[in-house]
Amino acid sequence: MSQAGINSSQDIRAIVQQVIAELRGASAPGAPVPSLSPVAPVSFAGRHGIFASVDEAVRASQEAFEQLEKLGLEGRRKAIAHIRRISIDDSAELGRMEFEETKIGRLEHKIEKLKVLGERSPGVEFLTSEVFSGDHGLAVIEHAPFGVIGAITPVTHSLPTITGNAVSMIAGGNTVVVNPHPSGKRVAAEGVRRFNQAIQRDIGIDNLIALIAEPTLDTAAELFNHRGVKLICVTGGPAVARAALQSSKRAIVAGPGNPPVVVDETADLDRAARSIIYGAAYDNNLLCIAEKQVFVVASVFDRMMEAMERAGALRLSAPQVDRLTQRAIVMVGEGAHRHPAPCKDLLGQDASVLAEAAGAAGRAGLELVFGETDVSNPFVPTEQMMPFLPFVRCQNADEAIHRAHESEHGFRHTAIIHSHNVRNMTRMGRLLDTTLFVKNGASVAGLGLGGEGYISFSIATPTGEGVTTPLTFTRQRRCTLVDDLRILGSPE
Ligand code: NAD
């Protein structure tokens, strides 16, 4: 090698050493020293999860994923603790923001949903490993992350869905990019910003949750198709559920429901009425699990209507029900896809607003309006998402269960029965085949509110994962050790 060559390689070494020294000097105390890879990666730290471009959001999410991997389970635990804390401590402020932005539902429930998610969404404790031990040694099955998950969230629970998804997905070791519903994008961004800021301050990782600030159907499609996204999780109605099921990526689909209720002649009618009002009026009927239509056996029908009034609901007369139906249900779609749907300006509105639309007098504190309809009333097949319930008179429990089945459209989402007849419960459970089946309680008991179990606002019905947990967002990996490590057996 020539003298000139030696000199230039010494020069290069000197320059590299100088750059390393400068980078060390520029780092905050205790911050990791940046690696000198040939092409220095762009860091997205400081964005606190808010992105204009899907590609940048996914790259930031990948960067965060790689950093999270290095911190192990403890890093996940710490990140989740911040999401829980903010969800509880800021619930009043964030709940009000969601209410004011989306203009649907009930303020007290917007707040309560965030609190409950902070308290009861499942975390890393769900990630138990399985072990097979035998003559040939050990096999351990562990639950590994997918990587970057693309999530689509609904307007009915914008920040709560993101909160529950983030806890479960991060507990599973993943990161997430969210394309929120455009009508709930501001509260989504505010929550995501707060979560990321607190997490970064504590464990030094930003963008564990990334969000598309101006979401559209195009950004949703871009997220579905981005090669950096390893798994999709959608929560929403029929269109997005279909799009996800047709996607080439593995999808977890929390799709629509239209939960029917059956009340038979053995039910405790007052308890049934209180439960139906609590579940159906919760957040003005926005929940996908909420009671949407009620089938009552004729021999107790009139007494059940009286029980509903005693429990505080307002009964509409037949002309009032007709008037409300005309105002509240519209036809949408073309040709074979034409179907009834809730009218946007009554969706998620208060019971008093519905009463007035029906020509009845509303009153302060009114939670639910209801009335007798026949099975052809469009409220029966429609997921109305407003606090009016149609009650249909049925000859017997068989007819009620059969009509409940028809009205659920095979979504296999949620069904409720009020009965003390085990055969009716069993028949309904078998026929409707739903992910959630609640007996003698409000629908929300199926998510652990007044019942047992944990909560998530993504209930994966068509793809079968059920009420999602951290395990939903993991893939199994098996590690096999042949012959050794098993301590049972005779000494050598
Ligand atoms: P929606 O279907 O109108 O929107 C949901 C999300 O999907 C939004 O972010 C929307 O922008 C997006 N979207 C819609 N069409 C899309 C498409 N073709 N491609 C990609 N993205 C698309 O629903 P919504 O009104 O926001 O929420 C209410 C619906 O969600 C109800 O049907 C309810 O049952 C369902 N839901 C289900 C669950 C569950 O856990 N199964 C939970 C909450 C809500």
Side-chain angles (χ1 to χ4, degrees):
M1 195 181 281
S2 72
Q3 190 62 33
I6 292 169
N7 280 346
S8 71
S9 75
Q10 280 172 342
D11 287 350
I12 291 166
R13 210 170 295 134
I15 290 167
V16 168
Q17 275 165 358
Q18 190 187 339
V19 170
I20 292 173
E22 280 173 9
L23 284 171
R24 283 209 169 112
S27 301
V33 179
S35 66
L36 272 188
S37 52
V39 182
V42 182
S43 173
F44 295 96
R47 300 280 196 95
H48 301 319
I50 311 304
F51 291 88
S53 123
V54 171
D55 185 56
E56 279 196 349
V58 174
R59 286 195 287 137
S61 195
Q62 178 65 29
E63 178 185 68
F65 171 68
E66 286 162 18
Q67 292 170 331
L68 184 65
E69 265 194 316
K70 295 192 184 119
L71 297 191
L73 287 176
E74 195 48 29
R76 301 183 199 175
R77 262 191 212 104
K78 285 184 176 170
I80 290 167
H82 288 292
I83 300 174
R84 292 191 192 286
R85 177 182 53 74
I86 291 168
S87 212
I88 296 167
D89 291 355
D90 298 359
S91 58
E93 191 189 348
L94 292 169
R96 179 172 288 283
M97 277 179 79
E98 174 135 3
F99 181 66
E100 286 172 356
E101 182 182 3
T102 61
K103 301 182 175 59
I104 53 176
R106 286 168 61 181
L107 176 59
E108 68 264 40
H109 296 144
K110 300 284 183 223
I111 296 170
E112 188 176 64
K113 286 192 292 187
L114 285 169
K115 259 197 197 140
V116 172
L117 278 164
E119 288 161 0
R120 302 188 57 178
S121 49
V124 289
E125 68 282 359
F126 266 66
L127 301 175
T128 50
S129 303
E130 293 111 68
V131 175
F132 291 84
S133 161
D135 290 345
H136 296 296
L138 283 182
V140 180
I141 296 176
E142 292 193 296
H143 300 279
F146 275 90
V148 176
I149 300 176
I152 309 274
T153 53
V155 68
T156 46
H157 336 282
S158 181
L159 186 55
T161 308
I162 295 172
T163 304
N165 280 177
V167 169
S168 279
M169 291 169 183
I170 294 171
N174 308 279
T175 54
V176 55
V177 179
V178 183
N179 199 67
H181 192 291
S183 303
K185 66 183 179 188
R186 285 201 301 277
V187 67
E190 184 55 26
V192 164
R193 192 181 61 72
R194 290 183 194 198
F195 295 155
N196 281 312
Q197 243 173 2
I199 294 168
Q200 189 191 23
R201 223 176 282 135
D202 185 9
I203 63 171
I205 307 178
D206 197 6
N207 305 314
L208 285 180
I209 313 146
L211 182 109
I212 309 303
E214 293 301 334
T216 62
L217 289 183
D218 289 341
T219 55
E222 210 184 319
L223 190 60
F224 274 14
N225 295 318
H226 197 292
R227 63 197 294 268
V229 171
K230 303 296 182 224
L231 179 72
I232 294 167
C233 174
V234 307
T235 308
V240 71
R242 249 191 324 273
L245 288 167
Q246 284 162 6
S247 143
S248 58
K249 292 211 167 92
R250 169 144 189 245
I252 290 161
V253 180
N258 192 37
V261 185
V262 165
V263 180
D264 78 8
E265 61 278 17
T266 67
D268 174 339
L269 300 182
D270 285 314
R271 180 184 167 123
R274 284 194 305 274
S275 300
I276 291 170
I277 293 172
Y278 185 63
Y282 195 90
D283 210 15
N284 280 346
N285 199 247
L286 293 180
L287 268 60
C288 57
I289 59 167
E291 292 80 350
K292 298 286 193 296
Q293 58 280 343
V294 187
F295 302 92
V296 186
V297 168
S299 60
V300 293
F301 188 90
D302 294 329
R303 281 193 284 137
M304 182 64 202
M305 300 300 261
E306 286 158 20
M308 289 293 291
E309 288 185 280
R310 260 197 313 279
L314 176 70
R315 182 174 183 171
L316 300 181
S317 66
Q320 288 169 338
V321 170
D322 287 346
R323 196 159 160 190
L324 181 63
T325 308
Q326 305 251 320
R327 279 286 323 279
I329 306 289
V330 291
M331 294 302 289
V332 296
E334 297 299 328
H337 298 293
R338 199 156 170 76
H339 62 93
C343 154
K344 287 227 158 55
D345 56 329
L346 287 181
L347 191 145
Q349 299 309 305
D350 288 345
S352 283
V353 174
L354 300 189
E356 276 152 31
R363 57 175 187 250
L366 180 66
E367 292 190 286
L368 188 78
V369 287
F370 72 107
E372 180 170 2
T373 72
D374 64 26
V375 77
S376 64
N377 182 291
F379 266 109
V380 174
T382 304
E383 192 188 13
Q384 66 268 43
M385 294 185 273
M386 63 183 79
F388 167 79
L389 286 192
F391 276 61
V392 179
R393 198 184 288 260
C394 300
Q395 275 183 355
N396 50 36
D398 271 352
E399 184 193 343
I401 292 169
H402 168 74
R403 296 219 179 275
H405 181 225
E406 269 183 355
S407 74
E408 216 266 330
H409 309 297
F411 290 142
R412 299 195 295 176
H413 193 296
T414 298
I416 301 108
I417 188 169
H418 293 275
S419 168
H420 288 102
N421 179 322
V422 175
R423 282 214 61 221
N424 287 346
M425 292 178 183
T426 310
R427 258 185 313 178
M428 182 166 175
R430 287 186 182 161
L431 182 65
L432 274 78
D433 196 15
T434 47
T435 301
L436 298 179
F437 183 37
V438 179
K439 305 175 193 96
N440 298 326
S443 54
V444 288
L447 287 187
L449 299 176
E452 293 302 326
Y454 53 87
I455 191 164
S456 157
F457 281 130
S458 293
I459 302 155
T461 39
T463 48
E465 292 81 3
V467 183
T468 51
T469 75
L471 280 178
T472 309
F473 304 106
T474 59
R475 49 197 189 93
Q476 283 199 5
R477 294 185 58 197
R478 181 188 292 198
C479 183
T480 302
L481 185 74
V482 179
D483 290 342
D484 276 326
L485 260 189
R486 188 167 187 266
I487 53 174
L488 299 185
S490 60
E492 282 168 5

